[in-house]
Amino acid sequence: MKNVGENEADVESGRFDKDRERSSKTSRIKVNNQALLSGLAYCLSSCSMILVNKYVLSSYDFNAGISLMLYQNFVSVLIVSSLSILGVISTEPLTWRLIKVWLPVNVIFVGMLVTSMFSLRYINVAMVTVLKNFTNVITAVGEMYLFNKHHDNRVWASLFLMIISAISGGITDLSFNAVGYTWQIINCFLTASYSLTLRRVMDTAKQVTKSGNLNEFSMVLLNNTLSLPLGLLLIYVFNEVDYLYSTPLLRMPTFWVVMTFSGFLGLAISFTSMWFLHQTGATTYSLVGSLNKIPLSVAGIVLFHVPTSLENSASILFGLIAGVFFARAKIKERTQS
């Protein structure tokens, strides 16, 4: 028979196991809550950014997309620099060696933002999200030729579906605008170029930093800081200065509030994407990013009263589903490799 000491030990052990099980459940709930909260924050900020930009460019009829981009980047630089000075985040100092390495990719980055603003002014949000899928096609082809990376049949099949949906969506688009579509196609090439170039430049950039690393905050600060002088140059090239002097919008306090809010949203995407990626992983992140386009497209059609037909709506839905299939195919490809 067990003595009293052994019985007490068993009781204590049982209590300890229960406490450990309870604390384990609590920690799992906290992790799940963090993942859910970060996912919602990422989806909300990314959707809101596109919708607010569309609102500024179309509803306010603000005909200075480069100026909008410049102001948003200025807000980002201001916030990130302040947080870095306060010690909330850590960023790499901007040295001339780092700037020289990063400048080529920054030119593509600015071009990507500017063409996105131009296309969003003329095309509805739903078609922009579908046409952006064409970026995946260019990136996949670029990876094959530049990095000798081969994709399986599921990836190519989903990419083919994206092309079909983009073509059918353009044909059935009741608000088709050739200028907007041209800017969006250019944007797809620039976005794919940015993605492909970034992989090579980041490795070189890390070698010229003091810490030997380059985190997300440093990249945000670097990209947005370098974009300011280039943005100012483009404002003069595209003759937005005369428009800025004459438009009454810049004398409206509410317009400045909306513009500043869009700048905060641009930075919020960077913060929430990092948070969500840390709480979940690349697999969940990519899949949620694809699924997030569905409510964004619906919101864009409803909020901006976009004229649409059954054929066009079907093409948009087809393209969005193709995007989800692409994300799943890439996930399976990644796990197999």
Side-chain angles (χ1 to χ4, degrees), residues 43-54 120 124-130 132 288-304 306 316 320:
C43 291
L44 188 63
S45 59
S46 59
C47 283
S48 299
M49 180 66 179
I50 295 174
L51 293 173
V52 170
N53 279 346
K54 180 65 176 177
L120 197 59
N124 67 72
V125 173
M127 278 310 303
V128 166
T129 56
V130 171
K132 277 183 180 290
V288 169
S290 297
L291 290 168
N292 193 37
K293 292 179 180 179
I294 297 173
L296 172 62
S297 299
V298 174
I301 292 171
V302 173
L303 292 174
F304 297 101
V306 177
I316 292 169
L320 296 172

Side-chain angles (χ1 to χ4, degrees), residues 73 76-77 106 109 219-228:
N73 291 1
S76 295
V77 170
N106 183 257
F109 172 75
M219 284 195 290
V220 169
L221 183 61
L222 187 59
N223 258 333
N224 288 297
T225 302
L226 293 181
S227 71
L228 298 181

Side-chain angles (χ1 to χ4, degrees), residues 156-336:
W156 289 114
S158 60
L159 291 173
F160 178 73
L161 293 176
M162 288 178 182
I163 295 171
I164 296 298
S165 68
I167 294 171
S168 61
I171 293 171
T172 57
D173 187 3
L174 298 179
S175 55
F176 178 85
N177 186 291
V179 175
Y181 272 71
T182 302
W183 281 119
Q184 185 54 52
I185 292 169
I186 296 171
N187 175 260
C188 289
F189 277 98
L190 288 171
T191 305
S193 301
Y194 179 73
S195 176
L196 294 168
T197 309
L198 192 63
R199 298 178 189 183
R200 289 184 171 181
V201 172
M202 276 188 68
D203 293 332
T204 309
K206 288 176 182 178
Q207 296 173 7
V208 298
T209 58
K210 290 185 177 180
S211 65
N213 195 18
L214 194 67
N215 60 27
E216 180 75 19
F217 299 117
S218 297
M219 284 195 290
V220 169
L221 183 61
L222 187 59
N223 258 333
N224 288 297
T225 302
L226 293 181
S227 71
L228 298 181
L230 188 55
L232 285 171
L233 177 64
L234 289 174
I235 286 173
Y236 281 94
V237 171
F238 283 84
N239 198 27
E240 287 189 0
V241 178
D242 293 338
Y243 172 80
L244 293 174
Y245 274 118
S246 60
T247 180
L249 291 172
L250 297 184
R251 293 187 287 275
M252 295 171 56
T254 52
F255 181 73
W256 282 104
V257 170
V258 175
M259 286 244 294
T260 305
F261 180 59
S262 69
F264 276 95
L265 284 174
L267 191 59
I269 293 174
S270 299
F271 280 90
T272 55
S273 60
M274 284 179 61
W275 183 23
F276 185 43
L277 197 57
H278 177 71
Q279 293 295 329
T280 55
T283 300
T284 307
Y285 178 80
S286 61
L287 191 58
V288 169
S290 297
L291 290 168
N292 193 37
K293 292 179 180 179
I294 297 173
L296 172 62
S297 299
V298 174
I301 292 171
V302 173
L303 292 174
F304 297 101
H305 309 289
V306 177
T308 185
S309 62
L310 182 62
E311 294 83 1
N312 186 245
S313 298
S315 299
I316 292 169
L317 181 62
F318 186 67
L320 296 172
I321 294 172
V324 176
F325 279 137
F326 173 75
R328 286 179 61 85
K330 289 288 285 183
I331 289 165
K332 289 180 180 178
E333 185 184 64
R334 197 182 296 119
T335 53
Q336 286 175 357

Side-chain angles (χ1 to χ4, degrees), residues 66-86:
I66 302 171
S67 301
L68 176 61
M69 178 274 297
L70 183 68
Y71 183 72
Q72 289 173 348
N73 291 1
F74 174 73
V75 171
S76 295
V77 170
L78 206 61
I79 296 171
V80 173
S81 299
S82 300
L83 292 175
S84 180
I85 292 168
L86 293 171

Side-chain angles (χ1 to χ4, degrees), residues 1-10:
M1 291 179 68
K2 293 182 179 180
N3 57 32
V4 176
E6 289 175 334
N7 288 333
E8 288 177 352
D10 288 341

